[in-house]
Amino acid sequence: MPSKPSFYITTAIAYPNGVPHMGHAYEAIATDCIARFKRLDGYDVRFLTGTDEHGIKMLQTAQKAGLTPRQLLERNVPRFQAMGEAFNLSNDDFIRTTEERHKKASQAIWERMAARGDIYKSTYSGWYSVRDEAYYAEEETTVNEQHVRLGPQGTPVEWVEEESYFFRLSAYQQKLLDHYAANPGFIMPEARRNEVVSFVSGGLQDLSISRTTFDWGIPVPGDPAHIMYVWVDALTNYITALGYPDTEADLFKRFWPADVHVIGKDIIRFHAVYWPAFLWSAGLEVPKRVFGHGFLFNRGEKMSKSVGNVVDPFGLVDTYGVDAVRYFFLREVSFGQDGSYSHESIVNRMNADLANDLGNLAQRSLSMIAKNLDGVVPEPGPLSAEDEAILALADGMIGKAREAIESQAIHQYLAAVWAVVAEANRYFAAAAPWALRKTDPKRMETVLWTTAEVIRQVAILAQPVMPASAGKMLDLILVPEAERGFDRLGGGFRLPGGTVIPAPTGVFPRYVEPEAPAAG
RNA sequence: GGCAGCGUAGCUCAGUUGGUAAGAGCGCCGGAUUCAUAACCCGGAGGUCGGCGGUUCAAGUCCGCCCGCUGCUACCA
């Protein structure tokens, strides 16, 4: 049997020293949408997400709470996993960097890099704040009137020299630049690529990749006084989950190199500079694409505890429903750019696009089949130019959607689908099947079938964004599970007539503001 | 300071290589309709396309300068 093409997509692993916020959920649903799209489009998909559980901040947060790091993780990681459930993620695995498999993988990649001669022991020096337990770059520090050098938190810093292992990042500068030039799609969007190219062109310094001042991390092989510094540990998760260091394992052979790492724009450098260098050093292939998405802003302002506008993702799901929230963020925000949201914008989107346009179109057309044709899906008669036109538009959706998803333009894929929904409403209003009921019932049947066929294709294409709602819509027209893949789109397949469908029920309810408790 | 990008209708934004592109969605106003989730459909609203100056038969669309905003980066010892 012919094997499916493979597709490996990941989110960044979240740092669970706090609870998940909407930014975590956003990255996850965008990645999930692409993963689901590819599955429906016939790919063998692997979708990975997880948590990054080591590092000094985890240790500090735990200490402040009077907990051990493991206790903190026991408290917080389930929240991230619950977020995955709440947002209906379809991840195939959930990697935790405290897992044994990850320790093995991280130590293995370290040893490969060392064997290559890219790791050496030297002295790491820098400005260290005892109070912050953190190192700062020179430019992050300031000198006050008393000639005391201060870190960004306003705490005094001192010059500290610490033994550390270094990675020979500087040796990879030209190879990275060559790779960027030869693979313009490696870093996306383009603005992010320009920044990285500019940064690398400016010269690369070797990277300190171990610490001795705390022990919440993976021990360096052969030198347990050192633990690996954050990025070697964290980035390796993408291959840990494929069974590394067993590069002959089925998962690894099928899915490495990854097709897309979806990450926030703030960690582009680690993924587009450090990660490929590590991989080359270890003799592995580099991912095909690193996509840096933007940030979300609440009413145009960055979410922050001090401003008091931090939005709980679970609360959004409770208020609007998971599919509406998924649709809103994926349709409203140009993927790759920053986005803004508010109660008003979410309600507007879900009412206009989902309830009024798609939900109402399904309701008005399918209810006519139920009421006038005893629920029997009609067979179309001769197709008019109008019928042909709207069907051609519906058949064209999958091509546009594929093209958009190839470049992670999720919003464009959705815009293409909803443009057809809008046109279908115009078609339906112009054809006025309710008027044809008495004048030309046969023609009415053709209009209703045509509309139902458009709904079928729209619903199939809406599954990646709104799995549950789209599925419910397909249930309304009795599309079998096996016929919901993208191979059923594009005109090579049509909604069969003759089946008896149930009376439709609303798939996308309008959001109505709750009544004020005490009007008056 | 350097590099990059942006500044188009109230809001969010599209606008190939310069010539029916001044557009879409939302909001707003008017109309129509009642199959439908008070939804859908039709029409309108007139924005110096940040400013100035150029190139051109013709410029949001190219060039220069200026203003404002954003990102990356450097420096400010």
Side-chain angles (χ1 to χ4, degrees), chain A residues 130-146:
Chain A
V130 177
R131 219 175 297 171
D132 296 352
E133 292 190 71
Y135 284 93
Y136 296 112
E138 176 113 5
E139 58 266 25
E140 289 180 285
T141 65
T142 53
V143 178
N144 69 10
E145 293 95 343
Q146 286 76 42

Side-chain angles (χ1 to χ4, degrees), chain A residues 33-53:
Chain A
C33 177
I34 296 170
R36 287 178 182 273
F37 188 102
K38 285 293 192 178
R39 280 196 202 97
L40 288 163
D41 208 15
Y43 287 74
D44 179 18
V45 171
R46 192 79 183 170
F47 166 25
L48 176 71
T49 189
T51 43
D52 175 18
E53 308 187 353

Side-chain angles (χ1 to χ4, degrees), chain A residues 40 117 128 146 151 202 215 218 241 250 267-268 298-299 312-313 323 330 335 413 426-427 431 440 448 450 455 469 496:
Chain A
L40 288 163
Y128 182 74
Q146 286 76 42
D215 64 358
I218 294 173
D250 175 56
I267 54 175
I268 268 281
N298 186 345
R299 295 185 165 281
D312 171 25
D323 280 349
L330 298 181
F335 197 53
Y413 134 58
R426 286 188 275 274
Y427 161 82
D440 189 349
L448 293 178
T450 300
I455 289 169
S469 303

Side-chain angles (χ1 to χ4, degrees), chain A residues 32-325:
Chain A
D32 183 61
C33 177
I34 296 170
R36 287 178 182 273
F37 188 102
K38 285 293 192 178
R39 280 196 202 97
L40 288 163
D41 208 15
Y43 287 74
D44 179 18
V45 171
R46 192 79 183 170
F47 166 25
L48 176 71
T49 189
T51 43
D52 175 18
E53 308 187 353
H54 289 131
I56 186 131
K57 277 195 292 184
M58 196 64 63
L59 196 56
Q60 289 174 332
T61 305
Q63 285 169 347
K64 280 180 197 165
L67 300 171
T68 65
R70 293 221 177 258
Q71 288 172 323
L72 179 65
L73 292 170
E74 283 168 22
R75 193 176 75 182
N76 287 350
V77 172
R79 300 278 293 169
F80 283 83
Q81 292 170 327
M83 182 191 80
E85 298 287 319
F87 281 87
N88 202 2
L89 303 188
S90 64
N91 53 298
D92 300 287
D93 194 355
F94 188 99
I95 180 80
R96 300 183 54 177
T97 58
T98 50
E99 293 174 299
E100 183 63 23
R101 58 173 173 164
H102 184 63
K103 179 179 172 184
K104 282 183 184 156
S106 299
Q107 293 185 330
I109 194 173
W110 179 289
E111 285 172 338
R112 298 289 172 79
M113 294 191 292
R116 174 85 54 178
D118 284 334
I119 294 180
Y120 61 93
K121 194 187 254 186
S122 182
T123 302
Y124 176 83
S125 53
W127 294 103
Y128 182 74
S129 164
V130 177
R131 219 175 297 171
D132 296 352
E133 292 190 71
Y135 284 93
Y136 296 112
E138 176 113 5
E139 58 266 25
E140 289 180 285
T141 65
T142 53
V143 178
N144 69 10
E145 293 95 343
Q146 286 76 42
H147 304 292
V148 176
R149 187 171 288 272
L150 303 176
Q153 309 295 324
T155 58
V157 295
E158 57 187 276
W159 187 256
V160 168
E161 301 193 347
E162 174 191 354
E163 185 178 71
S164 171
Y165 286 95
F166 282 79
F167 175 74
R168 232 176 268 289
L169 183 64
S170 58
Y172 290 89
Q173 177 176 357
Q174 194 54 50
K175 183 160 185 171
L176 284 165
L177 290 173
D178 291 345
H179 190 255
Y180 303 148
N183 303 278
F186 178 60
I187 304 167
M188 292 291 277
E190 194 175 356
R192 299 277 92 79
R193 179 174 75 237
N194 294 341
E195 289 173 4
V196 171
V197 169
S198 170
F199 171 75
V200 174
S201 300
L204 293 175
Q205 307 221 316
D206 288 350
L207 197 63
S208 169
I209 53 170
S210 77
R211 285 297 126 90
T212 57
T213 50
F214 62 95
D215 64 358
W216 183 238
I218 294 173
V220 167
D223 194 349
H226 288 254
I227 57 164
M228 296 181 196
Y229 193 43
V230 50
W231 289 105
V232 176
D233 175 347
L235 290 163
T236 300
N237 91 85
Y238 301 126
I239 55 176
T240 297
L242 298 181
Y244 189 81
D246 182 4
T247 54
E248 293 306 305
D250 175 56
L251 280 179
F252 196 91
K253 281 171 36 181
R254 266 158 67 201
F255 293 112
W256 195 257
D259 291 86
V260 191
H261 288 316
V262 176
I263 61 170
K265 64 182 182 180
D266 54 327
I267 54 175
I268 268 281
R269 182 186 302 174
F270 309 109
H271 285 77
V273 182
Y274 301 176
W275 183 224
F278 293 166
L279 289 165
W280 281 323
S281 180
L284 298 171
E285 289 184 78
V286 302
K288 294 171 193 165
R289 172 163 300 171
V290 174
F291 189 96
H293 68 252
F295 295 151
L296 298 180
F297 298 97
N298 186 345
R299 295 185 165 281
E301 289 189 83
K302 188 171 182 175
M303 280 188 285
S304 80
K305 289 175 186 169
S306 55
V307 178
N309 63 349
V310 176
V311 171
D312 171 25
F314 295 96
L316 289 181
V317 169
D318 289 343
T319 303
Y320 310 108
V322 58
D323 280 349
V325 173

Side-chain angles (χ1 to χ4, degrees), chain A residues 448-494:
Chain A
L448 293 178
W449 174 84
T450 300
T451 305
E453 163 61 7
V454 173
I455 289 169
R456 183 187 70 88
Q457 293 205 43
V458 166
I460 286 175
L461 268 167
Q463 293 176 99
V465 230
M466 301 182 287
S469 303
K472 187 175 173 189
M473 191 163 277
L474 290 168
D475 290 344
L476 289 179
I477 50 177
L478 298 182
V479 174
E481 288 291 340
E483 295 181 4
R484 298 182 177 189
F486 291 173
D487 58 336
R488 300 292 172 157
L489 298 172
F493 181 90
R494 292 297 188 202

